[in-house]
Every structure is written in structure tokens, then in C-alpha cells.
């Protein structure tokens, strides 16, 4: 797993072996990788989509014994594009208008839907804080390349901001992995288009940089649940031959954005044993340098999406509590 040979990253940067895994995560990760296989390749996309369907939350899972009212809707899509499906979960214990957790799901840009297991974490937070949850089911690459996923997510945000029963001043966008990328990109778009004023952005182990050339990207090649090779495959599915070139929008790959001023407060977390670590840390640092607000957590010994795969580990429970606490403080302003 860890190895001892140093690797060479971009511009000749030398990186050591991967950091050690948390003791509660190491054995589960071995079992996960044995079942899942990898890294991601175009040939594995169908398998990943089938696993998405098999692991999707049921209506009963989402309603939580009547804690949420569930509706599935199609809302207006981007100009000239199809309508966008959304899942709307409204708390039943309190009257509206409710603050909203707006979820953009993960799946490496090629898989996932708005009922994946990460929605359970959003519902946990929403039930505790009496928030509505809206989860968007955007179009997937490679059949629908950039900017289709991003524009679907932005169009659905505009619908959320205008929907009766929601508090348009208290919308927090939240996403994991590819969903974290889309959440960051939508936050940039909303700023620059004069769109809905987001209260915050929660970026969980986000994919932010299509160039895949950070030290941690090279350090974790062939390591963990989402390594550099998987990252390259996901970005290539989205961008094709444009990946890594100068012809990539900063809204699509937010690490490319020159200006990170004027963004909503950000919560950014990532594992120390994952390829996306350094781009997440750099994104938070650049928000601070621009005078913005970001809370950054790097979970020691954690791999990509660790809390979804090993929810009972101490580090997973700590991460979930940190997200809830950040939301609680944000909503109390």
C-alpha cells in the first residue's frame, strides 16, 4: 500500500510514499478495492453506473419515517437543453420557508445519481437542522460532455432560489468528489452571472483540477479509492482532448479560476491519503489569500470518500460532525 520508492511529480517535484492509512480504514479499503476493481477506465463506466443503481436510496430511506416529504420533479434546464430531474425533500416537523442543502452528487463525472449513499449524509444534517434537501440528477459524461453537467446544476439552482417554501437567502450547495467540483463551479458561476446568492459551499474531497499534476496526484497514483489514473479518466470523459490544455473553463475546473474573491464561505475537507488532497488545500489557501472565508480539514489517514465507505470509524464520525457544526454556525448568522 505505502511503498518506499519516491515518485517524481510535475516539474520534477519529488514525493515520498503515501502517508499511512488510519488503522480503522486500512482493512476496509483493501476489501473495497478487491470488490470494486480499478482504476476507473472507460470500460468500467457501465459497472460504476450499475453499482449506482444497486446502491440507490429508496423512497422509504429518504422519507425517514415521515421526517421528510419527498417529491421528484423536472425543472427547467439550461437554454436549449432538456429539463433537469431533482429530488426534493422537505422537513415535515417545521413550517417553511426552509433553508436548503442543494446537493450535486459525486461519481467521477461519469456515474452517480441523486439517490446515492452520500444523500444519506445530507439528510442526516438536514434532519438535525431542519433543512430542505434538493438533489439534482445532472447529465453524465462522456455522453454529455462539458458544460452539460455544470449547466444542469446551475439551472436547477436557479429553480431552487425561486421556489416557494425555500428561503432563497439560505441556500448551501454541497457536493462530494465530482459533486464538489460542480458545487465549486456553480458557486463561481452564481457570482459571475449575478445569480442566486449562496449562503455557503460545502466541498467534500472535491475534484478541482483537470491537469492532475499536484504532488499528491503523483504520490497516490495506483493508491486508494480514487487515484490519479481514475482522476484522469473522469476528467477525460468530461473534457475529451481538451483535458489539461488551455481550453478549459475555470467554472468547469475551479482550480483554474484566477479570482476566488467574493465567493460564499467554503467548507473544504479531504483525506491525507488521496490524490485530490493538494488541490483542495491549495483552493482553500487561495480563497484565504483573496480575502475570503474557508474552513479546511485534512483528515489524517483517510482515503477518498472514506466516511461513506466506513461510516463507523472514529475519523468518519468526526468528519460528519465537523460538517454539521459548520452548517450550524453558518445558519446562525
Amino acid at each position: 500500500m505505502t511503498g518506499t520508492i519516491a515518485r517524481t511529480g510535475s516539474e520534477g517535484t519529488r514525493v515520498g510514499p503515501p502517508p499511512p492509512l488510519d488503522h480503522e480504514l486500512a482493512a476496509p479499503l483493501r476489501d473495497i478495492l478487491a470488490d470494486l476493481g480499478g482504476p476507473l477506465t472507460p470500460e468500467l463506466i457501465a459497472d460504476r453506473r450499475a453499482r449506482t443503481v444497486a446502491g440507490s436510496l429508496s423512497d422509504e430511506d429518504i422519507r425517514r419515517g415521515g421526517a421528510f416529504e419527498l417529491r421528484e420533479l423536472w425543472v427547467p434546464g439550461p437554454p436549449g437543453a432538456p429539463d433537469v430531474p431533482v429530488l426534493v425533500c422537505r422537513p415535515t416537523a417545521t413550517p417553511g420557508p426552509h433553508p436548503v442543502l442543494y446537493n450535486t452528487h459525486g461519481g467521477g463525472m461519469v456515474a452517480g445519481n441523486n439517490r446515492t449513499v452520500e444523500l444519506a449524509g445530507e439528510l442526516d444534517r438536514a434532519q438535525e437542522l431542519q433543512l430542505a434537501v434538493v438533489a439534482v440528477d445532472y447529465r453524465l459524461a462522456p455522453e454529455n460532455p462539458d458544460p452539460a453537467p455544470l449547466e444542469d446544476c446551475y439551472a436547477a439552482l436557479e429553480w431552487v432560489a425561486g421556489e416557494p417554501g425555500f428561503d432563497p437567502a439560505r441556500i448551501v450547495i454541497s457536493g462530494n468528489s465530482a459533486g464538489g467540483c460542480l458545487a465549486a463551479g456553480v458557486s463561481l458561476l452564481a457570482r459571475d452571472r449575478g445569480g442566486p446568492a449562496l449562503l455557503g459551499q460545502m466541498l467534500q474531497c472535491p475534484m478541482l483540477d483537470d491537469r492532475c499534476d499536484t504532488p499528491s496526484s503523483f504520490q497516490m497514483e495506483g493508491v486508494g479509492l480514487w487515484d490519479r489514473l481514475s482522476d484522469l479518466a473522469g476528467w477525460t470523459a468530461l473534457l475529451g482532448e481538451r483535458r489539461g490544455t488551455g481550453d478549459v473553463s475555470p467554472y468547469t475546473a475551479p482550480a483554474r479560476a484566477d479570482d476566488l474573491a467574493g465567493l460564499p464561505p467554503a467548507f473544504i475537507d479531504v483525506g491525507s491519503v488521496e490524490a485530490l488532497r493538494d488541490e483542495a488545500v491549495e483552493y482553500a489557501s487561495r480563497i484565504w489569500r483573496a480575502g475570503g472565508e474557508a474552513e479546511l480539514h485534512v483528515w489524517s489517514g483517510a482515503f477518498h470518500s472514506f466516511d461513506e465507505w466506513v461510516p463507523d470509524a472514529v475519523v468518519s464520525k468526526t468528519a460528519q460532525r465537523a460538517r454539521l457544526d459548520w452548517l450550524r454556525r453558518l445558519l446562525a448568522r
Side-chain angles (χ1 to χ4, degrees):
M1 164 65 200
T2 58
T4 58
I5 299 174
R7 307 177 186 205
T8 301
S10 62
E11 299 179 357
T13 302
R14 299 277 288 175
V15 294
L21 283 162
D22 179 272
H23 74 282
E24 291 186 282
L25 301 182
L29 178 59
R30 286 194 295 270
D31 294 340
I32 293 163
L33 290 173
D35 173 63
L36 194 61
L40 178 69
T41 62
E43 292 73 26
L44 282 175
I45 290 175
D47 171 76
R48 297 298 187 262
R49 292 179 178 176
R51 290 173 184 267
T52 293
V53 173
S56 294
L57 302 183
S58 68
D59 287 359
E60 291 72 24
D61 293 332
I62 295 169
R63 290 193 178 104
R64 299 191 166 203
F68 291 97
E69 172 192 273
L70 171 63
R71 296 177 66 202
E72 293 185 86
L73 305 171
W74 290 79
V75 304
D83 288 348
V84 179
V86 297
L87 198 67
V88 179
C89 314
R90 298 180 190 262
T92 58
T94 53
H98 291 104
V100 181
L101 260 181
Y102 175 51
N103 175 255
T104 52
H105 68 77
M109 301 292 182
V110 301
N113 63 26
N114 57 3
R115 289 176 174 261
T116 53
V117 67
E118 66 200 72
L119 183 64
E122 306 284 36
L123 291 169
D124 286 343
R125 293 182 277 275
Q127 190 168 357
E128 175 74 19
L129 300 175
Q130 287 299 288
L131 315 177
V133 175
V134 177
V136 59
D137 197 10
Y138 55 85
R139 289 171 289 171
L140 299 175
E143 298 90 340
N144 301 283
D146 174 64
L150 177 68
E151 293 292 352
D152 282 357
C153 292
Y154 185 78
L157 171 65
E158 291 189 307
W159 175 83
V160 170
E163 178 67 5
F166 297 148
D167 185 345
R170 294 199 291 170
I171 302 171
V172 178
I173 191 167
S174 175
N176 171 283
S177 191
C181 175
L182 291 164
V186 167
S187 297
L188 288 163
L189 274 181
R191 180 197 67 182
D192 294 347
R193 290 180 177 176
L198 291 164
L199 182 65
Q201 52 179 324
M202 183 179 287
L203 314 181
Q204 303 160 44
C205 53
M207 291 170 62
L208 296 170
D209 196 340
D210 66 292
R211 293 163 292 195
C212 306
D213 63 355
T214 64
S216 64
S217 182
F218 287 95
Q219 187 180 38
M220 254 60 77
E221 186 169 314
V223 174
L225 196 58
W226 185 258
D227 73 335
R228 180 171 184 267
L229 300 176
S230 295
D231 204 29
L232 286 166
W235 281 113
T236 300
L238 181 69
L239 295 168
E241 294 181 354
R242 291 189 293 126
R243 191 209 65 77
T245 72
D247 189 22
V248 176
S249 164
Y251 305 113
T252 297
R256 291 176 173 267
D258 293 328
D259 180 10
L260 297 184
L263 291 172
F267 178 99
I268 302 172
D269 70 346
V270 69
S272 68
V273 194
E274 66 167 299
L276 307 180
R277 181 193 67 214
D278 292 350
E279 62 201 65
V281 171
E282 176 63 13
Y283 200 70
S285 298
R286 291 184 57 220
I287 290 174
W288 295 325
R289 291 197 293 268
E293 182 179 344
E295 178 168 319
L296 172 68
H297 296 266
V298 181
W299 302 111
S300 181
F303 60 86
H304 188 69
S305 299
F306 63 98
D307 56 295
E308 295 176 16
W309 292 92
V310 194
D312 291 331
V314 171
V315 67
S316 300
K317 293 179 179 179
T318 304
Q320 291 286 12
R321 187 167 60 250
R323 294 170 196 152
L324 176 65
D325 288 345
W326 178 79
L327 275 173
R328 193 190 307 276
R329 288 184 281 118
L330 185 69
L331 290 161
R333 297 181 180 186

